Amino acid sequence: GSPCLSLGVLYGGQITHTAHFGQVDINKPPFPPDDNTIYHVASLTKVLTAAAVASLVDEGLLEWNLPIRYYLPELEQRQDDLGQKCTLIDLLSHRSGIAMANALWGQKHGEFLLSKSQIVQTACYIEAVKPFRSSFVYSQWNYALVTAIIEKVTNETFGTYIRRKIFVPLGMSRSTFMRPDGDNVATPYSIDDHMNPVRVKHLNMTDRTGFAGGYAMRTTIKDLLVLYQSLLHAHAHAHELRKDVQSTDGSPFRDVKAIFSPYIGVGTAAIDSIAYCLGLYRTRLPNNLATSSVNNLLVGPRRMPRIGGNSTGLEVFHHTGNVPGYFASAFLIPSTMSAIVVLTNSLSFVDPTDLVGQLLVTQILNEQPPHDNLLKFCDLAQSTSMAAYKALNFQLQEYKTEKPPDLPLVAYEGEYFNKAGTFIIKISQEEKGLRMTMQDMPLTSYYLIPYDSNTFYWPANRNAEIEQSMWPIPSTGYHKIVFGVNERHEIDRLIWKHDPLASPEVFGKRKGTKTLSLGKL
């Protein structure tokens, strides 16, 4: 379910093949994608961020193992290991333990919810959900902090630095960290429950947001192949010299050994099997190559194919990118100087870029394809996703009661802040429920219905959510808001479990807003 798809193959260090299917925008006259069609590639950005840090280490402006609090003194507020010991390697390898907390920066309609100046202060109070350096926890906040550090030491925006150091030297003229203009830009879609494409808004994740280093790159098949070609040549040069090579003459990449080294095992896998490096996953075959894809989450790692039965020990470096409206996958095989890139312009039930990419990997390695019947796999992913929403609605309704709110709806009105003081949730009365608005953003709001006493909720509806450019989140905690009552029987806090892995976050009510209590009734 994707209006268009582009793919490219690099083999033996040379670009050997590109192909394109579908059309850029189904609501306009047919316009097929080509080598220069721009897609939002989201987390494929991360290896560039790692490369930027490596370059700055080479220049002496950064150090791999110096605690980041030396660059961002605000983090001294954190007395845990993340605040006191965390290094650039810990952030780039997602082993800091910091929570995902995606709802603090984006929820719906493409609106970005924090200013760049609020990023570091917000991160000072985000929960660590795993012990430091003990587990892999994929969080955009790791790369937001790295972005802040890069911008501080260079006195440039992240995008400006990457353009100067990588895009221009490599001739990546169609790559940007801003929303691109022109006709040859893949229009973002999501796929509804009836397999219909629904146009969604572009995520306002740009160089102005502070998250550019994790998620913001827009680029083309051609530019990505040039990028990976240069990166693989630098890797080969470092490997051939068999010593601590920091740079390759004429290459924009420095210390590629650090970038391609594994630092933390992913999930339950041993670090030698599936690991995260710096901006790349590293999987040793035979293995599951979908670790970074939503396909792995949808059907479970046990149902994912193991490929590479004839390529024991071979390393594949890979990553996916996904955002409402786009999927992207890249696979790098240094031993054959090969790279595969697949891009699409929809958020569908299955990640087609991962499946197509794995098929191409098997062709390069002369292996059996990962599935005899990919259509059955796609059907399984779709049914799993729809079943998750069905189960979510069942759980929400099962515990819903007829107990009305303890107080008149006006008593819940007010402004509620996170502990960092950077995120405001505004509650106002609307008809028989409440209107919840995030950060005074007009489109990021929800109509809350009484659920049980001081708990309110909004119903889960996958179609409605994707139409609002949301990433589907089948979590009961995400859909429920609990209001806390103090000893004076006044509403004084709002509690929201917006991150499934983290504890519910408490937002304190601003003093001076309505505090009608039970005793005044």
Side-chain angles (χ1 to χ4, degrees):
S2 185
C4 72
L5 181 147
S6 295
L7 63 87
V9 178
L10 179 81
Y11 185 75
Q14 301 299 316
I15 299 173
T16 60
H17 180 67
T18 61
H20 309 277
F21 309 90
Q23 58 190 81
V24 168
D25 188 340
I26 61 175
N27 295 313
K28 293 183 179 180
F31 190 112
D34 56 33
D35 286 1
N36 293 309
T37 299
I38 296 176
Y39 296 81
H40 189 167
V41 298
S43 289
L44 298 194
T45 307
K46 287 181 169 61
V47 72
L48 285 178
T49 307
V53 171
S55 181
L56 292 167
V57 169
D58 185 63
E59 295 173 22
L61 293 177
L62 293 176
E63 294 183 27
W64 285 120
N65 294 306
L66 188 68
I68 59 172
R69 57 189 171 88
Y70 288 100
Y71 306 115
L72 302 174
E74 303 96 314
L75 288 172
E76 292 277 8
Q77 299 173 65
R78 294 190 74 120
Q79 296 303 306
D80 59 358
D81 287 341
L82 198 159
Q84 299 301 309
K85 299 179 181 180
C86 187
T87 67
L88 285 162
I89 285 179
D90 296 319
L91 295 177
L92 290 167
S93 63
H94 293 290
R95 65 182 190 186
S96 70
I98 195 169
M100 294 184 293
N102 293 329
L104 296 181
W105 55 263
Q107 297 174 32
K108 57 164 67 176
H109 292 297
E111 290 185 327
F112 200 83
L113 301 178
L114 291 171
S115 67
K116 185 179 287 190
S117 63
Q118 295 174 315
I119 301 298
V120 177
Q121 179 63 16
T122 303
C124 290
Y125 291 90
I126 293 176
E127 179 185 358
V129 295
K130 293 289 184 181
F132 184 62
R133 292 179 184 164
S134 71
S135 302
F136 173 78
V137 180
Y138 192 84
S139 173
Q140 301 297 343
W141 286 94
N142 288 305
Y143 278 71
L145 290 173
V146 176
T147 301
I149 292 169
I150 291 171
E151 294 192 340
K152 186 170 185 179
V153 302
T154 63
N155 200 30
E156 296 180 273
T157 69
F158 177 85
T160 300
Y161 181 79
I162 294 295
R163 179 173 177 79
R164 178 169 62 84
K165 298 292 289 190
I166 297 178
F167 288 172
V168 171
L170 293 181
M172 296 173 62
S173 60
R174 294 280 289 168
S175 299
T176 180
F177 290 94
M178 301 302 291
R179 181 173 172 178
D181 296 321
D183 293 329
N184 201 3
V185 179
T187 300
Y189 292 89
S190 287
I191 307 302
D192 69 16
D193 293 351
H194 306 291
M195 299 302 293
N196 298 314
V198 178
R199 184 167 181 172
V200 298
K201 292 188 177 181
H202 288 270
L203 176 64
N204 190 28
M205 174 77 76
T206 68
D207 199 29
R208 299 190 180 101
T209 63
F211 275 71
Y215 220 54
M217 182 166 64
R218 281 82 165 172
T219 188
T220 68
I221 281 288
K222 179 181 177 181
D223 279 7
L224 280 176
L225 288 174
V226 168
L227 171 71
Y228 295 136
Q229 181 183 48
S230 179
L231 185 59
L232 285 170
H233 276 291
H235 178 275
H237 180 78
H239 181 74
E240 288 170 3
L241 292 181
R242 297 183 183 279
K243 61 182 181 180
D244 189 19
V245 177
Q246 296 300 312
S247 64
T248 305
D249 291 342
S251 170
F253 297 106
R254 301 291 184 267
D255 201 2
V256 292
K257 286 187 175 180
I259 296 173
F260 281 83
S261 294
Y263 294 95
I264 189 76
V266 176
T268 59
I271 192 171
D272 190 54
S273 176
I274 304 176
Y276 201 82
C277 304
L278 304 182
L280 291 168
Y281 290 81
R282 196 280 334 260
T283 298
R284 196 181 298 278
L285 302 183
N287 222 319
N288 169 17
L289 265 183
T291 308
S292 65
S293 172
V294 296
N295 292 339
N296 197 58
L297 297 175
L298 286 172
V299 303
R302 293 185 178 181
R303 290 181 173 178
M304 295 302 301
R306 288 173 63 86
I307 70 170
N310 298 321
S311 306
T312 301
L314 185 141
E315 293 181 325
V316 179
F317 295 85
H318 54 102
H319 217 295
T320 58
N322 44 72
V323 62
Y326 299 93
F327 273 123
S329 289
F331 300 84
L332 281 65
I333 309 173
S335 63
T336 60
M337 289 289 289
S338 303
I340 293 159
V341 184
V342 189
L343 311 176
T344 63
N345 65 331
S346 73
L347 174 64
S348 52
F349 287 100
V350 65
D351 176 2
T353 66
D354 169 59
L355 297 180
V356 173
Q358 288 197 52
L359 282 172
L360 293 172
V361 168
T362 61
Q363 293 301 300
I364 284 178
L365 299 179
N366 196 27
E367 295 275 356
Q368 288 295 314
H371 273 288
D372 293 330
N373 192 332
L374 288 178
L375 290 178
K376 287 185 178 179
F377 178 87
C378 294
D379 289 342
L380 175 61
Q382 179 183 3
S383 61
T384 301
S385 181
M386 295 182 70
Y389 263 80
K390 184 176 181 180
L392 169 61
N393 274 303
F394 176 80
Q395 292 169 12
L396 286 172
Q397 294 304 316
E398 184 179 18
Y399 295 102
K400 187 176 184 297
T401 72
E402 298 300 322
K403 187 175 182 181
D406 289 345
L407 295 165
L409 294 178
V410 67
Y412 299 88
E413 290 188 330
E415 297 177 341
Y416 299 79
F417 283 83
N418 64 342
K419 189 176 289 187
T422 57
F423 197 96
I424 178 175
I425 299 177
K426 184 176 291 185
I427 300 294
S428 57
Q429 182 178 349
E430 183 174 307
E431 299 178 352
K432 296 182 179 181
L434 300 172
R435 172 63 58 180
M436 178 172 71
T437 303
M438 309 292 176
Q439 295 285 77
D440 283 326
M441 292 290 186
L443 300 180
T444 307
S445 70
Y446 305 83
Y447 178 64
L448 304 180
I449 302 169
Y451 185 81
D452 175 39
S453 184
N454 291 321
T455 300
F456 293 72
Y457 85 118
W458 70 92
N461 184 305
R462 184 183 178 278
N463 283 347
E465 290 174 16
I466 66 168
E467 288 174 2
Q468 298 174 80
S469 307
M470 296 177 70
W471 184 273
I473 303 176
S475 164
T476 56
Y478 192 81
H479 286 81
K480 292 195 293 187
I481 301 296
V482 180
F483 291 91
V485 180
N486 61 22
E487 65 279 1
R488 296 187 299 275
H489 304 292
E490 299 169 339
I491 302 296
D492 69 346
R493 61 196 180 276
L494 179 156
I495 305 163
W496 185 23
K497 187 173 174 55
H498 55 77
D499 184 338
L501 297 181
S503 303
E505 184 165 6
V506 178
F507 297 79
K509 192 173 187 180
R510 171 182 278 176
K511 293 181 179 179
T513 55
K514 295 181 177 67
T515 57
L516 186 64
S517 68
L518 282 170
K520 297 177 181 177
L521 297 180

